[in-house]
């Protein structure tokens, strides 16, 4: 970040009879807080996707806001041509960059209520390699006591906040009693720890008549999961799998480069060489007018400075040296490039309101070339066709949308989410891979019969009312607050020198 220094000028007194003694002009240095607020505004002014018509520095007056968050919220609230509600911009302390590389520091599990009003609190998922996994916890276990409290009913608002703080807060440990499907119960205490996150929660091959259907639960597009994805999809190919179910119900996105890898693993070879998607950056960035990006050094995959001349004379690259034009030569038109030999006749995506960004990018890319053979099952997705890279400001990282993607048919703009082919609610009472779990059951039904009929599977637990959309969103706000929703372009291309 460039430091802004305001120097006052020294003026001669016209009434003075003698020349004043020369002095050093006083220098007024802005505070660290003011400079951070300035930088949030100035970077948004040149890189924000909806920056057209943003007010001048003097009119906006970033130093007039009480906090960094207030500055960003004011930018988010600015009107703009064709600007959707901006639910994407945020400030971070570096946690996102760490998690993108596959490193987590938490208990390693999430929760959700089975229905509402209800005290039926369930484990939603458990991350492999995590402290929760070490305790052998599973999706679907019911939590009957949490940090000593037994009244966990979601009908009481304070209970929801209590659960959110216990599971997703900063405490070193969490204790609970869980009721397992076999009727037994267990008391467990879990300690927070840093661990290598494996976002592939499960792979399984299911027999549907004479067909073999592959099933993969993938929770985040981390950079460390590409080799594992290649291995698992290769196993499906070796086993003769002809259809694929990709469970992205809790996947909030991540690395664009990883999304490309996954897409090329499952896309038919016939589309190799065709356009997968095009990236459209902010107009000022396309035109090379985002000069402020010269203050952002470009790092390689190992976190080292990239350079033009091998480091000779210290000529290092910055984000101002990227070519942001929507062309192939600039690296902003991505073509299909089939990896491996797996061929899937149909692909089913299991999605919910938390399915976002890089997940939606992969779905949209495939729908652009095989729309009849791509089916969405579950609930409307989050709606994030835009992405960004981190802008480092002092100890913070600023994320504001800087680009939008569109598929081969120029389809994008799904700001209100992607509609599903079959609407069905999540079933947190069943573990991943259980063929009676509603989302998976719908996919298997279509694979077998060509319809989404799951009449033999209850759509909700008997005698318990399903959640309203409002209740679901309220819980998502509390229980998904630590879930990153975004796609980070980590394959930017330097301009030719």
């Amino acid at each position: 970040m460039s430091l802004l220094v305001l120097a006052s000028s020294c003026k001669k007194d016209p009434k003075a009879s003698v020349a004043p003694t020369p002095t050093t002009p006083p220098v007024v240095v802005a505070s660290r807080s003011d400079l951070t607020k300035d930088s949030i505004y100035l970077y948004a002014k040149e890189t924000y996707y909806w920056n057209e018509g943003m007010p001048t520095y003097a009119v906006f007056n970033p130093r007039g806001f009480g906090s960094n968050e207030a500055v960003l919220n004011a930018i988010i609230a600015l009107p703009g041509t064709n600007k959707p509600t901006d639910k994407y911009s945020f400030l971070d302390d570096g946690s996102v960059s760490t998690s993108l590389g596959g490193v987590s520091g938490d208990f390693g599990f999430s929760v959700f209520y089975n229905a509402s009003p209800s005290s039926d609190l369930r484990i939603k998922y458990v991350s492999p390699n995590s402290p929760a996994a070490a305790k052998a916890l599973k999706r679907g276990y019911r939590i009957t006591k949490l940090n000593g409290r037994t009244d966990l009913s979601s009908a009481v608002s304070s209970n929801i906040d209590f659960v959110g703080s216990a599971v997703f807060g900063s405490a070193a440990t969490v204790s609970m009693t869980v009721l397992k499907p076999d009727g037994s119960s267990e008391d467990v205490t879990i300690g927070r720890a840093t661990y290598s996150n494996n976002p592939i929660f499960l792979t399984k091959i299911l027999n549907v008549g004479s067909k073999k259907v592959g099933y993969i639960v993938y929770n985040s597009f981390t950079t460390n999961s590409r080799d594992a994805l290649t291995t698992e999809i290769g196993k499906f190919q070796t086993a003769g799998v002809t259809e694929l179910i990709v469970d992205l119900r809790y996947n909030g996105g991540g690395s664009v480069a990883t999304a490309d890898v996954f897409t090329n693993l499952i896309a038919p070879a016939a589309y190799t060489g065709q356009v997968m998607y095009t990236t459209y950056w902010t107009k000022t960035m396309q035109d090379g007018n985002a000069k402020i990006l010269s203050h952002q050094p470009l790092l390689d995959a190992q976190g080292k400075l990239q350079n033009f001349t091998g480091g000779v004379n210290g000529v290092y690259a910055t984000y101002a040296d990227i070519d942001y034009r929507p062309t192939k030569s600039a690296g902003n038109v991505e073509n299909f490039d089939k990896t491996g030999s797996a061929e899937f006749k149909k692909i089913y995506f299991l999605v919910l309101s938390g399915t976002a960004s890089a997940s939606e990018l992969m779905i949209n890319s495939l729908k652009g070339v095989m729309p009849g053979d791509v089916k969405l099952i579950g609930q409307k997705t989050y709606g994030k066709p835009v992405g960004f890279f981190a802008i480092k400001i002092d100890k913070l990282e600023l994320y504001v949308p800087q680009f939008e993607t569109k598929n081969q048919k120029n389809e994008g703009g799904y700001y209100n989410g992607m509609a599903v082919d079959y609407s069905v609610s999540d079933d947190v009472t069943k573990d991943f891979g259980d063929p009676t779990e509603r989302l998976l059951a719908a996919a298997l039904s279509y694979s077998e019969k060509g319809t989404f009929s799951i009449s033999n599977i209850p759509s909700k637990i008997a005698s318990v009312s399903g959640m309203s959309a409002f209740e679901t969103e309220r819980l998502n706000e509390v229980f998904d607050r630590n879930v990153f929703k975004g796609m980070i372009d980590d394959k930017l291309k330097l301009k030719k020198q």
Side-chain angles (χ1 to χ4, degrees):
M1 178 186 69
S2 297
L3 296 180
L4 306 179
V5 180
L6 304 180
S8 64
S9 60
C10 182
K11 297 182 180 180
K12 182 182 293 186
D13 183 354
K15 298 180 180 179
S17 57
V18 295
T21 302
T23 60
T24 302
V27 176
V28 179
V29 180
S31 70
R32 192 169 191 167
S33 174
D34 283 345
L35 292 176
T36 298
K37 293 173 185 177
D38 284 349
S39 295
I40 292 171
Y41 164 81
L42 293 170
Y43 276 108
K45 178 71 172 172
E46 295 188 10
T47 72
Y48 189 41
Y49 195 65
W50 302 287
N51 63 358
E52 185 177 358
M54 277 185 63
T56 63
Y57 176 89
V59 171
F60 186 82
N61 186 25
R63 299 184 188 184
F65 293 92
S67 66
N68 298 329
E69 290 74 16
V71 175
L72 182 58
N73 288 336
I75 292 170
I76 291 171
L78 290 171
T81 304
N82 299 319
K83 180 184 178 181
T85 300
D86 182 357
K87 54 184 179 180
Y88 318 114
S89 300
F90 63 96
L91 292 165
D92 185 63
D93 61 0
S95 299
V96 167
S97 299
T98 300
S99 63
L100 184 67
V103 178
S104 296
D106 49 37
F107 300 128
F109 74 102
S110 186
V111 297
F112 210 77
Y113 284 94
N114 176 40
S116 180
S118 171
S119 58
D120 191 359
L121 179 66
R122 301 280 178 146
I123 292 179
K124 187 168 73 171
Y125 64 77
V126 176
S127 298
N129 306 325
S130 70
K135 296 289 186 177
L137 294 180
K138 302 288 184 183
R139 169 181 164 88
Y141 284 11
R142 180 174 178 178
I143 301 173
T144 58
K145 183 190 290 186
L146 183 65
N147 283 351
R149 182 183 292 197
T150 56
D151 180 9
L152 303 172
S153 172
S154 63
V156 181
S157 180
S158 61
N159 285 346
I160 296 175
D161 294 330
F162 171 81
V163 172
S165 295
V167 178
F168 307 106
S170 58
T173 62
V174 61
S175 62
M176 55 189 173
T177 301
V178 294
L179 181 65
K180 301 178 182 180
D182 63 5
S184 65
S185 64
E186 181 182 2
D187 296 328
V188 296
T189 298
I190 304 170
R192 181 182 303 276
T194 299
Y195 58 95
S196 177
N197 180 25
N198 175 11
I200 302 176
F201 285 4
L202 177 71
T203 59
K204 188 174 183 178
I205 296 176
L206 301 160
N207 294 315
V208 181
S210 61
K211 293 186 294 188
K212 290 185 176 180
V213 178
Y215 174 64
I216 180 170
V217 183
Y218 188 59
N219 207 52
S220 180
F221 288 84
T222 60
T223 59
N224 69 329
S225 61
R226 297 167 191 170
D227 290 343
L229 284 170
T230 302
T231 298
E232 296 303 325
I233 299 301
K235 290 179 181 178
F236 288 155
Q237 186 274 328
T238 301
V241 167
T242 57
E243 295 184 1
L244 181 65
I245 301 170
V246 184
D247 196 333
L248 301 174
R249 71 182 77 192
Y250 306 132
N251 191 316
S255 160
V256 170
T258 303
D260 293 349
V261 169
F262 199 171
T263 304
N264 282 318
L265 283 167
I266 66 178
Y271 301 120
T272 292
Q274 295 187 30
V275 172
M276 182 190 296
Y277 63 87
T278 300
T279 301
Y280 297 90
W281 292 87
T282 305
K283 183 66 164 55
T284 46
M285 295 170 71
Q286 288 187 39
D287 294 342
N289 292 327
K291 305 299 184 183
I292 195 170
L293 288 176
S294 63
H295 300 290
Q296 293 290 316
L298 192 62
L299 306 180
D300 61 18
Q302 287 72 45
K304 297 180 179 179
L305 289 168
Q306 294 194 42
N307 58 78
F308 295 123
T309 58
V312 176
N313 297 325
V315 184
Y316 292 101
T318 71
Y319 277 86
D321 299 308
I322 299 295
D323 193 337
Y324 296 103
R325 295 171 300 162
T327 63
K328 180 65 178 176
S329 62
N332 293 313
V333 176
E334 189 69 29
N335 288 349
F336 286 100
D337 185 12
K338 177 66 178 176
T339 303
S341 55
E343 290 285 339
F344 304 112
K345 296 179 181 178
K346 290 189 181 297
I347 302 176
Y348 309 90
F349 288 103
L350 309 186
V351 300
L352 293 173
S353 61
T355 305
S357 208
S359 292
E360 294 169 308
L361 170 64
M362 183 166 74
I363 294 169
N364 195 48
S365 297
L366 290 169
K367 284 177 71 71
V369 293
M370 48 186 300
D373 297 321
V374 172
K375 301 296 182 184
L376 272 65
I377 300 165
Q379 300 292 317
K380 185 173 67 172
T381 65
Y382 182 76
K384 190 177 187 299
V386 291
F388 35 48
F389 53 74
I391 294 174
K392 298 183 183 300
I393 302 173
D394 199 13
K395 296 181 180 180
L396 296 175
E397 291 186 348
L398 170 67
Y399 291 89
V400 294
Q402 297 148 335
F403 68 85
E404 181 174 8
T405 60
K406 295 184 179 181
N407 67 16
Q408 184 183 118
K409 294 182 179 179
N410 202 37
E411 295 168 335
Y414 38 84
Y415 291 100
N416 293 320
M418 291 180 165
V420 296
D421 296 287
Y422 184 70
S423 179
V424 61
S425 59
D426 195 12
D427 184 359
V428 292
T429 69
K430 305 238 178 15
D431 201 357
F432 293 117
D434 185 333
T436 66
E437 188 276 316
R438 289 192 291 267
L439 273 70
L440 179 55
L444 295 175
S445 171
Y446 195 93
S447 177
E448 180 183 10
K449 299 175 291 188
T451 67
F452 290 112
S453 173
I454 56 170
S455 57
N456 61 322
I457 307 295
S459 61
K460 56 190 177 187
I461 302 300
S463 79
V464 179
S465 62
M467 287 188 188
S468 68
F470 175 80
E471 290 170 321
T472 300
E473 286 305 311
R474 158 71 170 138
L475 291 176
N476 282 335
E477 287 179 5
V478 177
F479 297 160
D480 283 353
R481 61 187 177 186
N482 294 338
V483 177
F484 171 65
K485 292 182 176 67
M487 55 180 171
I488 296 179
D489 196 325
D490 49 353
K491 55 187 185 60
L492 296 168
K493 187 175 182 179
L494 288 170
K495 296 176 183 176
K496 292 182 179 180
Q497 299 301 302

